[in-house]
Amino acid sequence: MKKQILISVYDMEIGGIERSLINMLESFDYEKYEVDLLICHHSGDLMSFLPDNVNVLPQIESYTVFRKPVSQCLKEGHYTLSVVRILSKTIANIKSKKRNLEEGAGYIQMQLASKYSRPFIPRLSKKYDVAISYAWPHDLVANKVKAIKKIAWIHTDYSKLEIDNNIDLNSWNQFQHIISVSDECKNSFLAQYPILKDKVKTIENINSPVFIKNMAQEKIESNELNPSNFNIISVGRLSYVKGFDLAVKALRKLHDKGLTNIKWYVVGFGGYEEELCKIIVQNRLRDSFILLGKKKNPYNYMQMCDIYVQPSRYEGKAVTVTEAKILGKPIIITNYPTSKSQIYHRVDGLICDLSVEGIANGIEELYVNTDLRSSLVNQIQDVDYSNRHELKKLYSLIG
């Protein structure tokens, strides 16, 4: 008889975590496992990419509230949970020592909202052999799902988050295993929760090179990227942590040096867009630093670029960097704490200083040095980045 598996995620909006989940589901062994997918909010362009073998559970309305605007939650009649959200934000602002949304009160607010919502949201009735919390909110699987074994996934660099450790520790203790996408990510997590050392294991994001290369062949609108320019592509959520404000200023430096045919395109969306647009205007780059917005398929844009740049302030393990390798692109990433888990400097990419000057210098070097660009591409173009064997590690934990 097949083992009953539950996997949970908040939504299927375009993002690295969601794409890595699809790659994992594409590679899953459905001869041995029956998989239910709990998506808290049935939204996002990646819903259409879910494999037919997966049983998507009906949406539970109270599970949708965690990331919606409070005003929308009120309109939908979630009055108690809206009060919980407001209360959580108030307490988080008091508890937080920092005031940057991405690194300060924002994460504590998420923790509190998840904790205080617990009495007001229902449990799932079905009992599973294994329940996997693939992404936040982990509290749902920890407290609202019946399973013989529970597994949680971590994708971020915990050294960059301000956390109320006691809140999350109560949830982490209910998981038999915690999976990290890289050793560096695991180490940053254990610095926060050393008591969990025996539970944490590393399983890399599952890649699907065939799927990515096929998607990269789709045509894009001819007026979006001009092949006569030197085109840079970045893919990611528009947020402070992704470092796109640094990217804008780096491009300004390059243009001031006369390298005006360099154009930078960003595929992605998010709450930082308005602020980022202001920075673009301030740096007189409206025609050169271009926000392409949400794209269901980022791979054809990556295929068209001259170089791929990840200007992040921190990452757990950026899925997009591996995807750029699969497409054979010269890559620059900033020296965020987990960068060395993704790039061997000057072998399969460049790691530049995490600064405006560092990003600008790295791009200028690849712009000028065509031999270096060719060398980086030669190192990656024949590498097999498929890693379905990583799933064997998960199967061993499932038992």
Side-chain angles (χ1 to χ4, degrees):
M1 195 168 76
K2 293 182 181 180
K3 287 206 169 184
Q4 300 297 303
I5 310 295
L6 176 78
I7 301 175
S8 77
V9 66
Y10 179 75
D11 60 28
M12 291 305 297
E13 294 291 351
I14 296 170
I17 292 173
E18 292 76 15
R19 291 205 305 276
S20 68
L21 173 60
I22 287 173
N23 288 338
M24 185 177 82
L25 293 173
E26 285 282 356
S27 304
F28 225 77
D29 187 350
Y30 296 101
E31 295 295 320
K32 293 183 178 179
Y33 307 108
E34 187 170 301
V35 179
D36 285 354
L37 184 61
L38 171 63
I39 305 173
C40 297
H41 188 200
H42 286 202
S43 64
D45 290 331
L46 296 183
M47 290 285 294
S48 62
F49 289 99
L50 292 170
D52 293 336
N53 309 73
V54 175
N55 175 40
V56 179
L57 299 179
Q59 179 172 284
I60 300 172
E61 290 305 314
S62 59
Y63 284 17
T64 69
V65 303
F66 295 109
R67 286 184 182 162
K68 288 180 180 177
V70 173
S71 58
Q72 184 179 348
C73 295
L74 287 168
K75 288 178 183 177
E76 294 173 356
H78 301 295
Y79 302 118
T80 301
L81 292 172
S82 296
V83 171
V84 168
R85 289 276 304 279
I86 295 168
L87 178 65
S88 300
K89 183 174 183 178
T90 303
I91 296 174
N93 284 331
I94 294 170
K95 293 170 73 76
S96 176
K97 297 174 183 177
K98 302 177 183 177
R99 285 297 176 262
N100 180 278
L101 180 62
E102 296 292 341
E103 298 182 54
Y107 192 82
I108 294 179
Q109 179 184 335
M110 291 163 62
Q111 290 180 290
L112 292 170
S114 182
K115 174 184 176 182
Y116 294 147
S117 298
R118 199 179 301 159
F120 308 109
I121 57 177
R123 292 179 176 271
L124 296 190
S125 57
K126 181 176 176 179
K127 185 175 181 179
Y128 292 90
D129 294 298
V130 178
I132 298 172
S133 182
Y134 195 75
W136 184 90
H138 299 296
D139 197 63
L140 283 179
V141 170
N143 295 287
K144 297 298 179 179
V145 175
K146 293 179 289 184
I148 297 171
K149 186 179 291 184
K150 295 182 179 182
I151 300 172
W153 230 275
I154 52 176
H155 302 265
T156 195
D157 178 0
Y158 272 72
S159 70
K160 299 297 183 181
L161 298 177
E162 187 177 10
I163 299 170
D164 185 323
N165 297 70
N166 291 328
I167 294 176
D168 273 3
L169 192 57
N170 289 330
S171 291
W172 296 130
N173 280 331
Q174 296 182 63
F175 292 95
Q176 281 73 38
H177 304 288
I178 299 169
I179 294 172
S180 168
V181 296
S182 71
D183 288 336
E184 289 79 3
C185 188
K186 178 179 75 172
N187 293 337
S188 72
F189 179 81
L190 289 176
Q192 295 282 350
Y193 305 103
I195 196 172
L196 299 175
K197 182 179 180 181
D198 293 339
K199 291 189 176 189
V200 185
K201 304 182 186 305
T202 299
I203 298 179
E204 294 182 1
N205 288 317
I206 307 302
N207 305 316
S208 182
V210 173
F211 172 78
I212 290 168
K213 289 178 179 178
N214 286 340
M215 292 288 285
Q217 299 310 308
E218 288 187 4
K219 290 185 178 180
I220 63 174
E221 294 181 25
S222 59
N223 62 342
E224 285 192 312
L225 269 73
N226 186 340
S228 66
N229 293 321
F230 187 85
N231 294 313
I232 300 170
I233 284 282
S234 298
V235 179
R237 181 168 46 95
L238 301 186
S239 66
Y240 175 78
V241 301
K242 295 297 183 182
F244 293 129
D245 56 320
L246 304 176
V248 174
K249 295 169 185 175
L251 184 59
R252 180 69 266 162
K253 280 187 170 292
L254 292 166
H255 277 212
D256 289 344
K257 289 184 173 184
L259 307 180
T260 55
N261 70 322
I262 299 179
K263 309 293 182 184
W264 198 321
Y265 297 86
V266 177
V267 176
F269 70 104
Y272 196 59
E273 182 172 358
E274 184 177 347
E275 180 65 25
L276 191 56
C277 286
K278 290 179 182 176
I279 297 170
I280 292 169
V281 171
Q282 289 167 1
N283 284 273
R284 309 183 308 282
L285 290 170
R286 278 181 290 188
D287 296 326
S288 297
F289 197 99
I290 299 161
L291 305 181
L292 294 170
K294 183 191 295 187
K295 300 289 183 183
K296 186 182 293 188
N297 178 11
Y299 305 118
N300 46 4
Y301 293 89
M302 294 168 75
Q303 183 70 60
M304 289 286 291
C305 74
D306 292 287
I307 64 172
Y308 182 85
V309 178
Q310 190 77 37
S312 301
R313 287 180 166 89
Y314 66 87
E315 293 279 352
K317 189 164 188 178
V319 173
T320 50
V321 173
T322 303
E323 291 170 342
K325 287 183 180 182
I326 289 169
L327 294 175
K329 292 298 166 180
I331 299 166
I332 298 174
I333 67 174
T334 46
N335 191 23
Y336 47 80
T338 60
S339 62
K340 291 177 180 60
S341 71
Q342 299 214 262
I343 289 290
Y344 293 103
H345 183 50
R346 305 188 77 82
V347 176
D348 57 359
L350 296 187
I351 301 177
C352 68
D353 288 342
L354 208 174
S355 65
V356 171
E357 293 76 12
I359 295 168
N361 290 341
I363 292 169
E364 184 177 6
E365 182 173 12
L366 285 190
Y367 177 88
V368 172
N369 193 338
T370 56
D371 288 341
L372 178 57
R373 291 211 306 271
S374 297
S375 173
L376 298 179
V377 170
N378 288 338
Q379 287 292 326
I380 60 178
Q381 63 183 1
D382 295 325
V383 176
D384 181 5
Y385 287 102
S386 61
N387 61 347
R388 294 181 62 172
H389 59 274
E390 287 290 298
L391 272 175
K392 293 180 181 179
K393 299 177 184 178
L394 176 60
Y395 298 152
S396 70
L397 299 181
I398 289 174

